[in-house]
């Protein structure tokens, strides 16, 4: 891509709001530089739509109206666009501007079509193409519960430990917990911001964002440094999160939330969506349950299931749920014969009990109890105390 095209794309990122499909279609039709020149002439002299029709074909009335409204929006911002100023700000931060065609560009964003970003302003590790090739988005509520934050942290920790890049939005709650989980494992994490990469938003997460960069992760935005994170930009930012990840996992979400928007963006892009279940009475998990009920998402409970959802594992598939459940509830004493197990359950935890009392509680003969406590003593489950027997602490599990 030529220097003129790069500068033009940097200009478009300031000129048009994120997700502006008219701007995206114009750039796709004639190129960023030629499209910008056409806009400047149209603002000055009026739009020459015949130049576009040579490439596009005849424009209908609705298309002409959309172009007219777009020009009115762009005309307001055009005088203030200064890509050299924005690039200088980025350079002072040690940042990088990525454009489509750069080998470091995350090609997954191209699936957004006319709504794809013109460029990405990046702080930190700039090879987003490599990191996003094996990445998972973890999103959820800002007003997260302690349960949700713990699950998000553990998922990110497990994914980062397996070399998976964790993508999220840097917000309070689930986003922050996911980034912390990846950083704690010294793994890669990508923060997609709604404002400029020089603006820590929310301010309370400033140290976390710096930790992300310090750990080898990155902050990225489709708007230039200095840009404010507005409500509409947060909503548009969600499409980038959904497109970048190989899969999107919603940990907690209310009935209507930004995380639900991200999940639906992912579904429209044919990306797998996972949802973590919560208490059926929890408002914080109502959105997750809705995604599951509507068939938009599948249930995920650990990092291995998320990796399987994203297609990031082969032979080491997630464990069978029933087998995993059996393993979680299995106890060492389950290998004992029925009589010995009953005697084990009858042993007191405090004080001691004579053998006949143990036999009575267990419902076995004294002879059976004598043989059982002898075996349990050898295995370290029971100990003699005076004239009686007591349970050893290790068996309290």
């Amino acid at each position: 891509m030529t220097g003129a095209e790069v500068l033009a794309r940097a200009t478009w990122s300031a000129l048009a709001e994120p997700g502006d499909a008219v701007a995206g279609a114009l750039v796709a039709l004639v190129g960023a530089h030629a499209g910008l020149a056409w806009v400047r002439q149209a603002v000055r002299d009026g739009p020459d739509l015949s130049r576009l029709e040579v490439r596009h074909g005849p424009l209908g009335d609705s298309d002409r109206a959309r172009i007219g409204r777009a020009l009115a929006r762009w005309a307001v911002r055009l005088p203030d666009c200064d890509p050299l100023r924005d690039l200088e700000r980025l350079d002072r931060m040690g940042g990088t501007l990525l454009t489509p065609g750069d080998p470091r560009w995350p090609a997954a964003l191209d699936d957004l079509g006319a709504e794809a970003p013109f460029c990405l302003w990046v702080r930190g590790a700039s090879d987003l193409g490599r990191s996003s090739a094996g990445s998972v988005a973890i999103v959820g509520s800002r007003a997260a519960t302690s349960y949700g934050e713990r699950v998000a942290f553990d998922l990110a920790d497990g994914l980062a430990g397996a070399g998976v890049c964790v993508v999220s939005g840097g917000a309070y709650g689930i986003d922050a917990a996911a980034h912390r989980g990846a950083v704690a494992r010294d793994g890669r994490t990508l923060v997609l911001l709604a404002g400029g990469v020089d603006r820590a938003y929310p301010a309370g997460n400033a140290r976390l964002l710096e930790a992300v960069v310090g750990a080898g992760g990155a902050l990225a935005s489709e708007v230039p440094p200095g840009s404010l994170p507005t409500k509409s930009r947060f909503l548009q930012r969600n499409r980038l999160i959904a497109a970048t990840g190989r899969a999107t996992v919603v940990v907690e979400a209310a009935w209507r939330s930004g995380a639900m928007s991200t999940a639906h963006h992912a579904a429209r892009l044919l990306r797998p969506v996972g949802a973590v279940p919560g208490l059926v009475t929890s408002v914080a998990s109502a959105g997750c349950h809705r995604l599951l009920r509507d068939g938009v998402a599948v249930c995920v409970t650990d990092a291995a299931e998320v990796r399987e959802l994203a297609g990031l594992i082969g032979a080491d598939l997630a464990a069978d749920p029933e087998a995993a459940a059996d393993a979680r509830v299995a106890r060492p004493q389950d290998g004992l014969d029925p009589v010995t197990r009953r005697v084990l359950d009858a042993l007191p935890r405090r004080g001691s009990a004579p053998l006949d009392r143990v036999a009575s509680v267990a419902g076995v003969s004294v002879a059976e109890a004598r043989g059982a406590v002898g075996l349990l003593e050898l295995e370290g489950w029971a100990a003699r105390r005076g004239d009686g027997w007591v349970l050893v602490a290790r068996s309290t599990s």
Side-chain angles (χ1 to χ4, degrees), residues 371-397:
V373 294
L375 176 62
L376 292 170
E377 184 179 27
L378 289 172
E379 295 292 333
W381 297 109
R384 189 187 294 272
R385 294 288 185 270
D387 295 331
W389 292 87
V390 65
L391 186 70
V392 172
R394 61 165 286 191
S395 62
T396 58
S397 62

Side-chain angles (χ1 to χ4, degrees), residues 127-142:
D127 194 349
L128 302 189
R130 182 176 68 89
S131 59
S132 65
S135 63
V136 168
I138 298 179
V139 296
S141 174
R142 287 175 173 81

Side-chain angles (χ1 to χ4, degrees), residues 172-185:
Y172 289 133
I174 298 302
D175 288 15
H179 293 307
R180 288 192 184 98
V183 170
R185 186 55 79 97

Side-chain angles (χ1 to χ4, degrees), residues 259-342:
M260 295 290 284
S261 164
T262 306
H264 287 293
H265 276 301
R268 282 192 288 271
L269 291 167
L270 303 181
R271 305 284 200 272
V273 179
V276 175
L279 292 171
V280 295
T281 55
S282 173
V283 174
S285 291
C288 293
H289 299 156
R290 179 183 179 184
L291 292 172
L292 293 169
R293 187 179 65 250
D294 292 347
V296 176
V298 300
C299 178
V300 291
T301 60
D302 59 30
E305 291 178 352
V306 173
R307 289 168 59 209
E308 185 176 357
L309 176 71
L312 296 174
I313 52 179
D316 54 334
L317 295 176
D320 176 72
E322 293 185 5
D326 290 342
R328 285 193 292 270
V329 300
R331 303 174 300 170
Q333 58 263 46
D334 289 344
L336 302 175
D337 65 83
V339 170
T340 305
R341 193 181 307 124
R342 287 165 64 184

